[in-house]
Amino acid sequence: MQIGTNSMIDNEYKYRINNVIDHIEKNLDNDFSLNELAKVSNFSKFHFSRIFQGITGETPFQLILRLRLEKAASLLIHGNDSISEIAFKCGFKSLPVFSKNFKSNFKESATSFRTKNSNLDKVNSITDKAIKTPSIYICNQTKSIKWKVDMKNNESIEIKELPNIPVVYLRHIGPYQGDAELFERLFSKLFAWAVPKGLLDNGDFQTAIVYHDDVNVADKNKLRTSVCLTVPENTSVDGEIGKMVLEKGKYVVARFTVKADEFQKAWDWLMGKWFPTSGYQPDDRACFELYPEEPENGTFKVDICVPVRKL
């Protein structure tokens, strides 16, 4: 009995700290106070910082600084805003402060980092030289913009306006790329929580995976990913299961049919081949994968959804 009680307490602490991290991520360009963050966590302001650091390994303000710098680095790679625009968009109040922190974290200036990591350089690194440049057309049936591509794993690619999608989630912090067993364990745990609540009864649900950090810039041991299940908006959560909304807006939705070891190839193609020729750039909302069907014989059908804005 004592073991079960300890586990419940541990899950409640993780749930509250995840709420704080979600709050920070949604408002990263804002100023934060310790009182505000403690209030979100529902912990005493006198003990919140120690609890936060004990669970995450960072103080709240160390995490805020790291997320701001990683967001800036991602925007430098994938966008064309000026360095000063990116600095202010990521919550820095002055360019000198941003520049000093960026160089301290990445060991080079923002200008040098952008030059070495631009998407244009990545286009030339795509190994499949036979892939043709995607061509654009208007689909008469859906009245939407689509692309014809010569990439064997890609079924379709189009720009869509997605609605808000409420989901419950179980979060993992740490490396995850290529670890199919990890995702199987996480989804099994999420389903074990959802089944008794009847959330899978009518079959009208989808699974999703949210990637909160850019793998090209974030510390691999601090990567955050959330396995998700779409749910009715009024669903209640408990323990370590959290709830969030995949934000509405304009997305590129690229459908691929892939094996477990081909996900990275699909992402590399989308970011390194399609984006630089599309007229769009990723914006700073989280990207995610939606799974419209159950995997079959080790093959996954996946919609890679990346929020976009005009270049």
Side-chain angles (χ1 to χ4, degrees), residues 151 153-155 254-258 266 269 300-302 304:
M151 198 275 192
N153 299 96
N154 179 255
E155 292 188 20
R255 175 162 293 185
F256 294 90
T257 302
V258 293
W269 180 88
F300 300 81
K301 184 163 288 190
V302 57
I304 296 180

Side-chain angles (χ1 to χ4, degrees), residues 70-87 89-90 110-111 113-122 214 216-217 270-272 275-276 278-285 306-311:
E70 290 174 354
K71 177 181 176 181
S74 185
L75 292 175
L76 286 169
I77 293 173
H78 302 300
N80 66 347
D81 289 340
S82 70
I83 291 175
S84 59
E85 287 173 330
I86 289 173
K89 184 179 290 187
C90 294
T111 301
F113 181 90
R114 166 171 267 177
T115 301
K116 288 166 60 176
N117 294 281
S118 71
N119 255 342
L120 294 178
D121 290 335
K122 291 184 178 180
D214 188 336
N216 296 301
V217 299
L270 182 64
M271 304 305 294
F275 261 108
S278 68
Y280 289 90
Q281 61 182 318
D283 76 9
D284 52 3
R285 289 168 290 155
V306 181
V308 297
R309 58 189 173 94
K310 286 289 188 179
L311 193 62

Side-chain angles (χ1 to χ4, degrees), residues 206-209 211 263 289-293 300-303:
Q206 285 185 291
T207 55
I209 300 176
Y211 301 100
F263 278 88
E289 296 169 350
L290 274 175
Y291 294 84
E293 300 175 6
F300 300 81
K301 184 163 288 190
V302 57
D303 289 335

